[in-house]
Amino acid sequence: MKRLAKDFLSLGPLGYFPYFPGTLASLLICLLLFFLRSDSPLIFEISVLFVLSSLTVVSVLTSDLKEKDPRFVVMDEVIGMYLTVLNHTPCAFNLFVGFILFRFFDIMKPYPLKKIEKLPGALGILADDILAGLYANLSLCLIERLSRNVL
């Protein structure tokens, strides 16, 4: 069961890639969203299910993990990137800008992301990426609104 949980959280071998596994996971979800383009009303429900599933799986694993936020766990980046583009058209522009914004917020960790990252267990692993995704989403809204007014 723990092997299956690790496979879920790492997206199989992707989380064990030696260079930038979180960035690769974010890029992968962008590509999937671009090619699967769906305006399904179930998007929000799927997002909630993903977050709850990840929290549950990470909670099961955190008792065995030696690191606070292990590199192999990339599902948090998938969730954060997904939240970044939630309710935005999954066009190339939105996905590219959303990707840049999400990685910026995830890496730079503006207030209060750095504090939230220190929460214990699964909450600390996932919460900073969820908030980075929300920051990026709001930033993308602002960029879209400004571009409509300028153009």
Side-chain angles (χ1 to χ4, degrees):
M1 186 65 159
K2 292 202 187 235
R3 181 74 218 156
L4 185 61
K6 280 187 174 182
D7 287 345
F8 172 74
L9 294 175
S10 67
L11 293 179
L14 187 63
Y16 296 100
F17 195 77
Y19 305 104
F20 312 109
T23 300
L24 289 174
S26 301
L27 187 57
L28 175 67
I29 195 67
C30 282
L31 292 172
L32 285 173
L33 288 169
F34 181 76
F35 289 110
L36 296 178
R37 295 181 190 208
S38 173
D39 295 328
S40 168
L42 296 176
I43 296 294
F44 181 74
E45 289 82 359
I46 292 169
S47 302
V48 170
L49 181 64
F50 235 21
V51 170
L52 292 177
S53 301
S54 296
L55 272 171
T56 304
V57 172
V58 173
S59 295
V60 168
L61 284 180
T62 47
S63 58
D64 293 345
L65 296 176
K66 292 174 179 46
E67 300 170 65
K68 186 163 176 51
D69 189 358
R71 282 177 49 96
F72 78 87
V73 176
V74 294
M75 188 54 72
D76 52 341
E77 273 83 8
V78 169
I79 292 167
M81 189 62 228
Y82 190 76
L83 291 173
T84 296
V85 295
L86 186 66
N87 290 329
H88 294 278
T89 305
C91 65
F93 176 81
N94 285 345
L95 291 169
F96 176 74
V97 173
F99 172 78
I100 298 298
L101 288 168
F102 172 67
R103 293 311 297 154
F104 171 78
F105 289 120
D106 189 31
I107 292 166
M108 298 307 292
K109 301 213 184 302
Y111 183 81
L113 271 69
K114 202 171 278 273
K115 269 190 173 187
I116 287 176
E117 180 182 45
K118 293 179 174 133
L119 291 171
L123 200 53
I125 292 172
L126 294 171
D128 67 310
D129 292 281
I130 290 170
L131 195 53
L134 295 176
Y135 277 18
N137 189 301
L138 292 173
S139 299
L140 192 55
C141 285
L142 181 64
I143 289 169
E144 285 179 331
R145 178 157 294 192
L146 288 172
S147 68
R148 263 189 251 130
N149 290 338
V150 171
L151 302 174

